[in-house]
Amino acid sequence: MAVVFVSITPLGTGTTSVSRYVAGVERILRGTALTHQLTAMGTIIEGDLDEILAVVRRMHEHPFTEGAVRVSTLVKIDDRRDKPHTIAGKMRSVEDKLR
């Protein structure tokens, strides 16, 4: 299972606000069965890597349908195959070490 961080930034929109675009790509993600967590700086997604990448492609394209003339997408992939790997598990590992 992969854990993927994605940040999609529309450019050339005439405004510095991007929340409208973030809401649009979040709707796409909510329409899937993928576990995800929206953060202030991007979104974390867990699941099958092929499925995630297909959804990220749809998310990347969405701001163009809303008038953006350029979209910058950052993707960071943590694909661990030696043991189960989840967003919650990664957080729990750090929290355990803080105790």
Side-chain angles (χ1 to χ4, degrees):
M1 179 176 309
V3 175
V4 175
F5 175 83
V6 62
S7 176
I8 299 170
T9 307
L11 305 168
T13 63
T15 179
T16 57
S17 176
V18 296
S19 58
R20 174 172 72 104
Y21 299 95
V22 171
V25 298
E26 176 67 13
R27 279 188 200 97
I28 290 169
L29 195 49
R30 286 183 179 188
T32 73
L34 292 168
T35 299
H36 66 282
Q37 179 179 345
L38 178 64
T39 76
M41 299 297 292
T43 300
I44 306 164
I45 310 166
E46 72 179 39
D48 175 75
L49 185 57
D50 288 335
E51 186 178 351
I52 292 171
L53 292 175
V55 171
V56 168
R57 172 65 185 197
R58 289 178 35 222
M59 293 166 67
H60 171 81
E61 290 295 328
H62 184 47
F64 290 114
T65 69
E66 297 290 319
V69 296
R70 184 176 182 182
V71 176
S72 175
T73 297
L74 170 73
V75 178
K76 183 175 181 180
I77 301 169
D78 184 354
D79 188 7
R80 186 165 188 170
R81 299 181 182 181
D82 62 331
K83 65 180 189 176
H85 184 60
T86 64
I87 297 167
K90 288 172 68 75
M91 297 299 295
R92 189 171 39 256
S93 179
V94 173
E95 291 293 334
D96 289 347
K97 289 166 181 66
L98 288 171
R99 291 186 200 139

